[in-house]
């Protein structure tokens, strides 16, 4: 951590300690959703897509999907997406994750997107029946502060996922924004912060999705 920065999570073990050990990542070694991963008709699901859309050189993008249940954000999916062979990340691959979830019974009530070519991403999602809006977790600290508060108060339930743990360890507070160390990453963390922020504002606060910018 460089001068003027400090770790965003003051307790480096907090994120790991708060992970639910009774839950697991829903994607198998073959890259496909496991059989048990199904949506419930009683919930509305929200998604945030963030990351290195259209970039090359081993960058990654992040997707997170979650729903609200009994006063908590329940994280159904955290996913780090990399381009094949370390190449360019295809936006269609990111959208296909959500389309596949819809096919498994997940009602995606809204998606927020950030990053390069985010406008075309949102257009494609809307064309497939998924309401989509822009949300940047870099222009305001609120998404990350909502995520940290939810972790500290037990209002978010997530499973152990190493890319998320690595991201959490990488996060630093520059005083102006939440960034990552020079050797770190934050695409999964961005996605998680985005979707938790939306859920808190939709169901735990007074702001509506339509007011997000």
């Amino acid at each position: 951590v460089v001068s003027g920065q400090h770790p965003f999570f003051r307790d480096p073990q907090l994120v790991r300690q708060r992970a639910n050990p009774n839950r697991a990542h829903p994607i198998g070694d073959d890259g496909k959703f496991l059989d048990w991963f199904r949506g419930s008709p009683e919930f509305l699901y929200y998604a945030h897509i963030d990351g290195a859309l259209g970039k090359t050189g081993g960058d990654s993008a992040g997707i997170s999907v979650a729903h609200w249940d009994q006063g908590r954000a329940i994280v159904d999916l955290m996913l780090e997406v990399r381009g094949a062979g370390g190449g360019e990340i295809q936006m269609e691959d990111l959208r296909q994750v959500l389309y596949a979830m819809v096919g498994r019974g997940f009602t995606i009530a809204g998606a927020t997107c950030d990053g390069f070519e985010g406008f075309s991403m949102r257009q494609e999602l809307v064309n497939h029946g998924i309401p989509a809006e822009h949300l940047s977790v870099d222009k305001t600290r609120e998404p990350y502060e909502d995520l940290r508060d939810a972790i500290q108060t037990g209002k978010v339930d997530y499973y152990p996922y190493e890319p998320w743990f690595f991201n959490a360890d990488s996060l630093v507070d520059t005083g102006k924004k939440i960034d990552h160390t020079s050797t770190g990453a934050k695409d999964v963390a961005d996605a998680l912060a985005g979707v938790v922020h939306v859920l808190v504002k939709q169901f735990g606060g007074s702001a509506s999705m339509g007011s997000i910018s």
Side-chain angles (χ1 to χ4, degrees):
V1 178
V2 302
S3 177
Q5 299 179 352
H6 59 77
F8 180 65
F9 290 106
R10 299 300 180 92
D11 179 355
Q13 295 301 314
L14 178 67
V15 169
R16 286 171 174 79
Q17 291 170 349
R18 293 297 172 90
N20 186 340
N22 298 315
R23 299 183 58 214
H25 188 49
I27 297 178
D29 294 337
D30 60 358
K32 298 180 180 180
F33 287 130
L34 298 172
D35 289 343
W36 56 261
F37 189 58
R38 305 283 174 179
S40 169
E42 64 179 302
F43 298 122
L44 296 177
Y45 298 86
Y46 292 80
H48 185 79
I49 300 175
D50 205 307
L53 308 188
K55 293 184 181 178
T56 59
D59 288 315
S60 60
I63 302 177
S64 186
V65 179
H67 66 279
W68 191 261
D69 184 28
Q70 297 182 348
R72 293 187 303 166
I74 311 298
V75 180
D76 301 279
L77 175 69
M78 296 178 283
L79 182 62
E80 180 183 72
V81 179
R82 294 184 177 274
E88 183 174 335
I89 297 168
Q90 302 298 318
M91 290 191 292
E92 180 63 20
D93 293 341
L94 303 177
R95 293 191 289 267
Q96 286 298 332
V97 173
L98 298 187
Y99 302 159
M101 290 184 67
V102 170
R104 286 174 165 263
F106 290 85
T107 300
I108 308 294
T112 46
C113 309
D114 194 17
F116 183 68
E117 295 188 12
F119 178 75
S120 61
M121 170 70 79
R122 297 194 299 275
Q123 274 192 320
E124 290 293 334
L125 291 173
V126 169
N127 290 341
H128 279 78
I130 298 176
E133 298 183 11
H134 175 260
L135 170 65
S136 172
V137 302
D138 289 325
K139 292 182 179 179
T140 171
R141 298 168 57 91
E142 193 174 4
Y144 267 105
E145 290 176 349
D146 282 346
L147 174 60
R148 183 170 58 186
D149 289 346
I151 293 172
Q152 291 174 337
T153 59
K155 291 185 177 180
V156 59
D157 183 292
Y158 54 88
Y159 54 84
Y161 185 52
E162 284 303 324
W164 157 227
F165 294 158
F166 174 72
N167 279 204
D169 290 341
S170 302
L171 295 175
V172 291
D173 189 340
T174 69
K176 294 183 178 180
K177 62 181 287 189
I178 310 306
D179 208 339
H180 63 77
T181 60
S182 59
T183 57
K186 71 183 187 84
D187 296 300
V188 176
D190 279 355
L192 189 58
V195 76
V196 169
H197 171 68
V198 168
L199 286 171
V200 167
K201 293 301 175 249
Q202 279 286 85
F203 302 103
S206 59
S208 67
M209 188 172 178
S211 67
I212 294 172
S213 60

